[in-house]
Amino acid sequence: LDMTSGEIKEFTPPTSNNGAYGITFGKDKAAWFAALTGSFVGRVDSKTGVVTEIRAPTLRQGARRVIADAQGILWITHYNTAQLGRLDPATSNYREFATPTSGSGPYAIALDSRGRVWISEFNANKLARFDPATEKFEEFDLPSSGTGCRTLVVDKNDAVWCPGSGVNKIVRLIP
């Protein structure tokens, strides 16, 4: 939205019916989005309007949410394949890390103050922390069955919060 003119601009990815879902801004100041149905990560150059698609190594992985860390690395939840994706926009290197629980359905994503990646594992009813330095996950069971954690927020004390839409409760994890 251009606040002066009121113009709203849309950008069209090359792949139609792509299921654009999560979005963030990268260190390069471009908008990056996860395409759930299209199973890719897209980059929108707001100056030129060009949309570039980057495919993960695993087909049909179901990119759901994306976030950029302080180094500019993009982290992507792969809902269909129970993976966490790592994309370095500078090199186009795309890596994938399987969650400890098969079929976990990684959904929401957030970063803590140490640069660790937090994800909700929607189908497994868990939260998981991934440490990029060790490339290891640690999982935390949620107390109520069917919590339905679709959003994660990490506060200044590194407590992880999520609204449990499936149980009408707010969850806080103090790791």
Side-chain angles (χ1 to χ4, degrees):
L1 170 64
D2 183 318
M3 297 303 282
T4 305
S5 69
E7 176 189 15
I8 297 176
K9 185 157 178 126
E10 294 180 325
F11 302 91
T12 305
T15 300
S16 62
N17 192 30
N18 58 65
Y21 208 87
I23 193 163
T24 194
F25 284 93
K27 196 173 183 179
D28 61 357
K29 302 198 181 353
W32 289 85
F33 66 96
L36 180 61
T37 310
S39 287
F40 63 84
V41 176
R43 179 186 185 275
V44 180
D45 185 317
S46 60
K47 291 181 182 161
T48 65
V50 173
V51 179
T52 306
E53 298 177 1
I54 300 163
R55 305 269 171 201
T58 303
L59 298 177
R60 294 180 292 285
Q61 94 302 4
R64 192 172 277 270
R65 305 272 195 203
V66 59
I67 196 166
D69 69 18
Q71 289 73 45
I73 301 298
L74 298 172
W75 296 94
I76 307 100
T77 54
H78 293 181
Y79 185 80
N80 297 340
T81 56
Q83 296 172 317
L84 176 64
R86 179 195 183 277
L87 173 61
D88 183 343
T91 64
S92 296
N93 182 322
Y94 202 132
R95 296 179 61 202
E96 297 168 313
F97 303 92
T99 62
T101 302
S102 177
S104 65
Y107 201 115
I109 192 164
L111 298 166
D112 68 19
S113 68
R114 293 195 213 157
R116 296 175 300 187
V117 183
W118 285 88
I119 61 172
S120 65
E121 294 181 287
F122 194 85
N123 299 337
N125 202 52
K126 297 178 182 187
L127 298 180
R129 177 175 58 202
F130 180 79
D131 187 336
T134 63
E135 298 185 352
K136 303 277 186 219
F137 282 97
E138 183 177 1
E139 293 181 314
F140 303 85
D141 291 321
L142 293 170
S144 297
S145 178
T147 299
C149 186
R150 299 171 195 270
T151 302
L152 286 179
V153 176
V154 178
D155 70 22
K156 65 179 181 169
N157 298 314
D158 282 340
V160 182
W161 295 77
C162 81
S165 62
V167 294
N168 302 307
K169 297 177 181 177
I170 304 300
V171 175
R172 180 182 70 180
L173 169 64
I174 302 172

